[in-house]
Amino acid sequence: QQPVQSPQAVILREGEDAVINCSSSKALYSVHWYRQKHGEAPVFLMILLKGGEQKGHEKISASFNEKKQQSSLYLTASQLSYSGTYFCGTEYPVVGAQKLVFGQGTRLTINP
Amino acid sequence: EAGVTQFPSHSVIEKGQTVTLRCDPISGHDNLYWYRRVMGKEIKFLLHFVKESKQDESGMPNNRFLAERTGGTYSTLKVQPAELEDSGVYFCASSPRWSGRGNEQFFGPGTRLTVL
């Protein structure tokens, strides 16, 4: 049931682009993206909802393919501050459930 | 607006001891969640409160873990007796009343628990 993230780790130079993928074997209600820096709270980035609605940061984009049960997070012109571990959290269509099932994380390192 | 706060930030205990973690959600948030991240692995759901009621406790590992949310405000998570495999970072998150669409969950900084 745990979604699968890929890649597991990415190393980039500042200014380069990255794509992080999240795949589920079950139908999804929504996908939540978070970034966590070492020792800090996971920070909300974006929610993608079934039906196409999105909520989140303007500078970060993401897609949600409902048929394929996949979401991708696009980080363009990466900055040093983008470094951290990115998690996708999936929400399944169970009434009242609301819990997030997280992927294993993607560690992103941005070098100058 | 104050965010989700957790106490303590770190706890080091010996196997067999008891530890109580506390979470103060954002004021007015009905939903409170506990998650745990074991070193290098995914963030795993433990349980979900709606106000003072346990909505979903399917992620609680065993009966050594007891969560409460008396009065529907702050929550405590007690581990008794602690085992080595309980080590990890315990996160609390809160969200407003469910609106029928995906709700952003606001995470606290976590409590790092080390069981020796």
Side-chain angles (χ1 to χ4, degrees), chain A residues 32-109:
Chain A
H32 302 223
W33 285 97
Y34 287 82
R35 176 174 60 216
Q36 186 190 17
K37 294 183 181 286
H38 182 70
E40 299 180 8
V43 173
F44 168 77
L45 297 176
M46 176 159 296
I47 289 177
L48 299 110
L49 301 165
K50 191 175 177 181
E53 185 180 346
Q54 294 187 9
K55 295 192 283 185
H57 289 253
E58 293 177 359
K59 294 189 176 181
I60 293 176
S61 62
S63 63
F64 182 17
N65 186 323
E66 295 173 33
K67 277 189 177 179
K68 292 186 177 180
Q69 293 149 197
Q70 292 178 345
S71 177
S72 295
L73 185 71
Y74 305 97
L75 303 165
T76 56
S78 58
Q79 304 171 17
L80 295 176
S81 62
Y82 288 7
S83 291
T85 300
Y86 289 76
F87 292 96
C88 69
T90 52
E91 192 178 0
Y92 296 99
V94 177
V95 174
Q98 299 181 60
K99 70 181 181 187
L100 295 178
V101 182
F102 285 94
Q104 78 278 23
T106 296
R107 183 187 292 272
L108 177 64
T109 304

Side-chain angles (χ1 to χ4, degrees), chain A residues 29 91 94-96 98, chain B residues 30-31 95-103:
Chain A
Y29 181 77
E91 192 178 0
V94 177
V95 174
Q98 299 181 60
Chain B
D30 288 348
N31 295 290
S95 69
R97 181 182 306 184
W98 192 54
S99 62
R101 302 292 283 166
N103 264 352

Side-chain angles (χ1 to χ4, degrees), chain B residues 54-101:
Chain B
K54 290 176 185 173
Q55 175 76 20
D56 181 353
E57 50 186 329
S58 60
M60 295 288 263
N62 51 60
N63 59 10
R64 295 186 293 103
F65 288 74
L66 175 64
E68 294 181 326
R69 193 183 181 195
T70 308
T73 54
Y74 72 90
S75 174
T76 57
L77 180 64
K78 181 191 287 189
V79 185
Q80 178 183 30
E83 298 288 345
L84 299 178
E85 64 264 26
D86 300 333
S87 295
V89 181
Y90 289 76
F91 290 105
C92 175
S94 71
S95 69
R97 181 182 306 184
W98 192 54
S99 62
R101 302 292 283 166

